[in-house]
Amino acid sequence: MSYSAQDLVAQARAVIEEIDAARLRALQADGVPVIDVREPGEFAEGHIPGAVNIPRGVLEFQVDGHPAVNCARDEHLAHRRTPVVLYCRTGGRSALSAEALKRLGFDQPLSLAGGWLRWVEDGGATETPTA
């Protein structure tokens, strides 16, 4: 049996928790890390203030210090018992990312429902990196 990307996202959403912007703001106020899993170019065009960029394609490798990323662990993924919020453009990649982190033993990987586009649509604060 083959699956579409939409099927995989639907399966991920069935086993992870999606949150809205209000909950994200509350979690950020408590110091919960926010991970933008979009590509670096997308992140550079704008992101949620305080978010760090760890692209979906290397997320699992950075968790355990894979040699492909010079055995460097990302401090934002160092503690698996506390919540971590993930987001992408529309919520699909972040749902897949949350599912992957859950399978890797993270207790509370959360995905921002609607992603970056809904965040901006709802008037969420944004920032761009300074050169």
Side-chain angles (χ1 to χ4, degrees), residues 86-109:
L86 304 120
Y87 77 93
C88 63
R89 183 173 182 269
T90 62
R93 285 177 282 177
S94 60
L96 293 171
S97 297
E99 179 189 34
L101 291 186
K102 189 171 187 169
R103 290 171 49 194
L104 288 171
F106 281 75
D107 288 347
Q108 299 175 66

Side-chain angles (χ1 to χ4, degrees), residues 13-124:
R13 284 186 170 135
V15 297
I16 59 107
E17 183 179 351
E18 289 187 299
I19 63 170
D20 63 13
R23 178 125 182 254
L24 170 57
R25 286 185 197 94
L27 289 166
Q28 273 191 304
D30 288 338
V32 170
V34 178
I35 310 297
D36 184 326
V37 298
R38 298 176 300 157
E39 293 300 310
E42 294 174 286
F43 183 79
E45 291 175 4
H47 54 270
I48 294 173
V52 296
N53 185 222
I54 305 173
R56 169 75 188 100
V58 297
L59 184 66
E60 295 90 345
F61 297 115
Q62 286 194 354
V63 168
D64 292 319
H66 191 278
V69 289
N70 299 319
C71 296
R73 284 177 173 252
D74 190 290
E75 65 186 54
H76 297 91
L77 299 175
H79 198 285
R80 295 176 184 221
R81 302 297 159 241
T82 59
V84 60
V85 178
L86 304 120
Y87 77 93
C88 63
R89 183 173 182 269
T90 62
R93 285 177 282 177
S94 60
L96 293 171
S97 297
E99 179 189 34
L101 291 186
K102 189 171 187 169
R103 290 171 49 194
L104 288 171
F106 281 75
D107 288 347
Q108 299 175 66
L110 307 167
S111 177
L112 178 62
W116 169 254
L117 291 180
R118 185 170 303 152
W119 175 265
V120 171
E121 190 176 285
D122 291 345

